[in-house]
């Protein structure tokens, strides 16, 4: 039975911010001096990075790409230094990856490009033409894509592969969440008096998107963030919501930032939650250069305060034994028209609207229409999908389904699979099992550990590299020779 679980295809596009910090082993003074003496003769070098270099033209190209996407850049010129820093980190990562033997073959690269093209519903040739139409060469695109994949694999091996999570950590995480549920929603801490310093416990779900990505990628990320914000306003555990989103799309990150004073929160975050109470979700999605952030204030307390009496009582009296969590499950069925050549969105929507009208006036049965016209494995069962729990279905489908009353038929709904007509058959109260909670706990702990390990790894890489800044402030007057 096709349950339409979210499919995540790794689609890596050109742009600013895909690379994070990395490092290279310290070169000898003799090697560095020799390399630098040669590099100084190259026009427009902004920085020497170990035995390589970053040119001012590379900085100019990044700025031009951002402007082309409509990104508003600071007028004080500070963006050049920011981009230089990122380019330096890219060079370091690629140098390290090369030394460690991380490679991407031409065959692998063509397969990745084919996947990206398919994700955008294009043939390889059509995708190539689209890249060239942006003003870049396809060879340059492939070169930068190869670099992206190499760095991603290197980072995964160096950071993600070394994260260890014990059963005890998972048990403690679940116990903490159980105590929070047993507290009945009471504030966990005493709020700060007016004018007194406070600490804010903020959690986030982060949907990354390259600032130089196309308008379609930006819009898709914003749409996903808005959907998560709507879900977060409901009666759900915020971090479990993040875990489900990350399970569907591993690029999505979620984490509890812990108690922080306002000055230790990103300014964008603090402005978004300044007037948000404990247990409440920020009113809007926050846009940063790295992507979109859904924020929730888990608690606010006086700076340095100990747990409130309510929290202490809940911790003492409430059982921390893992429990199944009540959830609402939905039984639904659908008719799917898959996206394909020769079937436009307008035609698919028109056909499904016709089926909906027939069901509403009772001239046709939904199950019979599904058996005859639905283009998926559920068709022999009249389109029935079985009992679904929150997070089991792709967001667009689930959101449309959740708005329906029992027996009601939706308008046509588009997802990555195609166009759907949905009917809700029944709802029941189910349970999120302890085993499922352990999966969520492991994902949440992993994200928390990854953030810490990643930041430390970046610092080490940068500290161990030999970098000499030359002339970054001026724009290049000619291409590097």
């Amino acid at each position: 039975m096709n349950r339409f679980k979210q499919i995540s295809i790794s689609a890596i596009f050109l742009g600013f911010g895909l690379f994070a910090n990395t490092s290279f082993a310290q070169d000898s003074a003799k090697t560095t001096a020799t390399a630098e003496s040669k590099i100084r003769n190259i026009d427009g070098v902004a920085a020497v990075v170990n035995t390589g270099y970053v040119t001012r033209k590379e900085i100019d190209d990044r700025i031009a790409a951002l402007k082309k996407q409509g990104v508003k850049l600071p007028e004080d010129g500070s963006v050049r230094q920011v981009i230089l820093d990122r380019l330096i980190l890219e060079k370091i990562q690629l140098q390290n990856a090369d030394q460690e033997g991380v490679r991407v073959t031409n065959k692998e690269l063509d397969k990745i490009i084919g996947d990206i093209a398919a994700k955008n519903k294009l043939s390889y040739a059509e995708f190539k033409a689209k890249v060239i139409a942006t003003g870049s060469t396809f060879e340059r695109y492939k070169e930068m894509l190869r670099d992206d994949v190499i760095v991603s694999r290197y980072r995964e091996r160096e950071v993600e592969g070394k994260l260890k999570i014990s059963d005890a950590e998972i048990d403690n995480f679940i116990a903490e969440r159980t105590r929070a549920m047993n507290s009945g929603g009471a504030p966990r801490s005493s709020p700060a008096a007016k004018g007194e310093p406070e600490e804010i416990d903020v959690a986030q779900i982060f949907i990354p998107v390259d600032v130089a990505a196309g308008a379609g990628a930006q819009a898709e990320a914003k749409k996903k963030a808005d959907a998560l914000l709507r879900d977060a306003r409901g009666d759900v555990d915020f971090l479990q919501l993040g875990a489900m989103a990350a399970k569907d799309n591993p690029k999505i990150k979620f984490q509890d930032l812990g108690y922080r004073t306002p000055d230790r929160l990103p300014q964008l975050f603090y402005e978004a939650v300044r007037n948000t109470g404990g247990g409440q979700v920020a009113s809007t999605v926050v846009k940063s250069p790295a992507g979109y952030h859904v924020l929730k204030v888990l608690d606010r307390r006086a700076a340095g305060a100990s747990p409130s009496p309510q929290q202490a009582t809940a911790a003492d009296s409430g059982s921390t034994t893992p429990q199944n969590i009540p959830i609402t499950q939905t039984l639904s069925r659908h008719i799917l028209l898959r996206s394909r050549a020769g079937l436009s969105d307008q035609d698919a929507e028109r056909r499904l609207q016709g089926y909906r009208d027939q069901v509403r006036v009772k001239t046709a049965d939904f199950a019979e229409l599904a058996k005859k016209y639905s283009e998926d494995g559920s068709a022999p069962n009249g389109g029935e999908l079985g009992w679904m729990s929150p997070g089991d279905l792709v967001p667009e489908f689930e959101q449309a389904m959740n708005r329906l009353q029992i027996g009601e038929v939706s308008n046509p709904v588009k997802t990555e699979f195609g166009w759907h007509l949905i009917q809700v058959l029944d709802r029941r109260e189910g349970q999120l099992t302890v085993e499922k909670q352990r999966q969520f706990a492991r994902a949440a702990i992993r994200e928390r550990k990854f953030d810490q390990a990643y930041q430390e790894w970046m610092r080490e890489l940068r500290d161990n590299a030999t970098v000499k800044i030359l002339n970054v402030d001026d724009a290049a007057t000619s291409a590097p020779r």
Side-chain angles (χ1 to χ4, degrees):
M1 182 180 296
N2 188 341
R3 298 194 172 188
F4 293 90
K5 294 182 180 291
Q6 179 81 21
I7 293 176
S8 171
I9 298 177
S10 175
I12 308 172
F13 293 92
L14 298 180
F16 171 117
L18 281 176
F19 296 96
N21 304 339
T22 326
S23 79
F24 189 73
Q26 186 86 19
D27 292 314
S28 68
K30 180 179 178 181
T31 302
T32 301
T34 302
E36 185 175 333
S37 67
K38 295 179 180 179
I39 291 170
R40 282 186 182 278
N41 295 322
I42 300 177
D43 183 32
V45 173
V48 179
V49 184
N50 293 313
T51 56
Y53 57 90
V54 175
T55 69
R56 286 180 290 157
K57 186 176 185 302
E58 289 179 280
I59 300 174
D60 295 341
D61 289 344
R62 290 291 176 93
I63 292 175
L66 294 175
K67 288 180 177 178
K68 187 175 181 180
Q69 295 299 325
V71 177
K72 188 175 181 180
L73 302 177
E75 298 178 358
D76 59 5
S78 60
V79 69
R80 295 189 67 81
Q81 184 62 52
V82 172
I83 293 177
L84 173 63
D85 290 341
R86 298 198 179 203
L87 285 168
I88 288 171
L89 293 167
E90 293 176 18
K91 299 290 183 183
I92 297 170
Q93 290 181 85
L94 287 168
Q95 291 167 349
N96 274 16
D98 184 62
Q99 279 203 338
E100 295 294 330
V102 180
R103 304 282 189 272
V104 175
T105 66
N106 290 334
K107 183 177 180 180
E108 288 178 301
L109 190 62
D110 286 337
K111 174 64 167 58
I112 292 168
I113 293 174
D115 289 342
I116 296 173
K119 179 69 174 177
N120 288 274
K121 298 180 174 61
L122 298 170
S123 67
Y124 190 101
E126 291 170 335
F127 184 75
K128 179 178 179 180
K130 194 168 184 178
V131 169
I132 295 173
T134 66
S136 175
T137 66
F138 195 60
E139 290 69 26
R140 178 60 176 158
Y141 173 83
K142 292 178 69 173
E143 176 187 340
M144 293 193 70
L145 179 60
R146 189 194 303 272
D147 288 347
D148 286 351
V149 177
I150 288 173
V151 169
S152 177
R153 290 180 178 179
Y154 178 59
R155 183 175 58 237
E156 180 177 357
R157 189 183 74 177
E158 293 298 309
V159 181
E160 297 181 18
K162 296 178 181 178
L163 295 179
K164 304 298 181 185
I165 301 171
S166 68
D167 288 340
E169 288 177 294
I170 295 174
D171 293 339
N172 290 337
F173 182 94
I174 295 176
E176 180 182 344
R177 306 305 297 178
T178 303
R179 279 195 297 268
M181 288 188 295
N182 288 340
S183 69
R188 290 190 289 165
S189 304
S190 300
K194 186 174 182 180
E196 288 186 350
E198 71 168 345
E199 294 176 332
I200 310 172
D201 186 3
V202 177
Q204 72 156 329
I205 302 174
F206 170 51
I207 300 88
V209 61
D210 179 10
V211 293
Q218 292 279 348
E220 188 64 28
K222 177 63 162 58
K223 181 180 177 182
K224 177 64 176 177
D226 287 337
L228 286 168
L229 178 61
R230 288 192 296 270
D231 292 342
R233 289 174 178 148
D235 186 20
V236 298
D237 183 290
F238 188 79
L239 291 178
Q240 288 181 350
L241 177 66
M244 288 189 289
K247 179 183 176 183
D248 290 337
N249 181 356
K251 293 179 70 176
I252 293 177
K253 308 297 181 185
F254 63 99
Q255 65 179 146
D256 180 351
L257 300 179
Y259 285 100
R260 300 189 184 190
T261 53
D263 61 299
R264 292 183 58 236
L265 281 171
Q267 186 64 28
L268 283 172
F269 286 16
Y270 179 63
E271 293 301 329
V273 303
R274 181 193 295 269
N275 300 313
T276 304
Q280 296 180 346
V281 180
S283 59
T284 60
V285 170
V286 174
K287 174 70 171 72
S288 77
Y292 295 91
H293 309 257
V294 181
L295 305 177
K296 181 172 183 177
V297 175
L298 301 180
D299 192 26
R300 303 181 85 114
R301 71 182 185 187
S306 20
S308 68
Q310 293 127 309
Q311 181 184 1
T313 300
D316 291 340
S317 62
S319 170
T320 59
T321 303
Q323 305 170 19
N324 290 348
I325 298 175
I327 55 173
T328 299
Q329 296 179 314
T330 303
L331 178 65
S332 67
R333 57 189 178 189
H334 77 144
I335 300 171
L336 169 67
L337 300 181
R338 291 190 178 277
S339 299
R340 62 180 184 276
L343 180 67
S344 67
D345 285 348
Q346 293 80 3
D347 288 341
E349 194 171 7
R350 178 182 51 78
R351 282 179 57 185
L352 290 177
Q353 192 64 56
Y355 300 154
R356 180 177 186 267
D357 292 341
Q358 293 178 51
V359 173
R360 292 183 68 185
V361 299
K362 299 182 179 180
T363 59
D365 177 72
F366 192 104
E368 292 305 315
L369 291 173
K371 289 178 181 179
K372 187 173 182 180
Y373 299 112
S374 189
E375 299 171 352
D376 85 308
S378 70
N381 297 323
E384 189 170 319
L385 298 174
W387 288 100
M388 295 286 105
S389 300
D392 282 346
L393 302 163
V394 291
E396 299 86 352
F397 190 105
E398 184 166 316
Q399 290 159 20
M401 180 185 72
N402 289 343
R403 288 193 290 266
L404 298 174
Q405 301 295 321
I406 294 176
E408 188 177 2
V409 180
S410 71
N411 287 314
V413 177
K414 187 177 183 180
T415 73
E416 63 189 75
F417 298 99
W419 284 87
H420 310 254
L421 198 65
I422 309 166
Q423 184 180 42
V424 169
L425 300 176
D426 199 3
R427 287 194 171 94
R428 71 183 184 189
E429 292 305 309
Q431 291 185 329
L432 185 63
T433 65
V434 172
E435 182 55 37
K436 183 70 72 172
Q437 291 179 63
R438 293 186 70 83
Q439 294 176 16
F440 292 154
R442 182 178 294 278
I445 296 169
R446 179 194 169 280
E447 291 304 319
R448 184 184 300 168
K449 283 192 168 187
F450 177 82
D451 184 64
Q452 296 169 350
Y454 187 49
Q455 295 301 326
E456 181 61 31
W457 182 66
M458 288 192 294
R459 283 192 295 270
E460 290 178 0
L461 291 176
R462 184 62 175 84
D463 290 345
N464 290 332
T466 301
V467 177
K468 185 175 181 62
I469 307 297
L470 300 178
N471 46 349
V472 60
D473 294 332
D474 298 328
T477 56
S478 63
R481 291 189 293 271

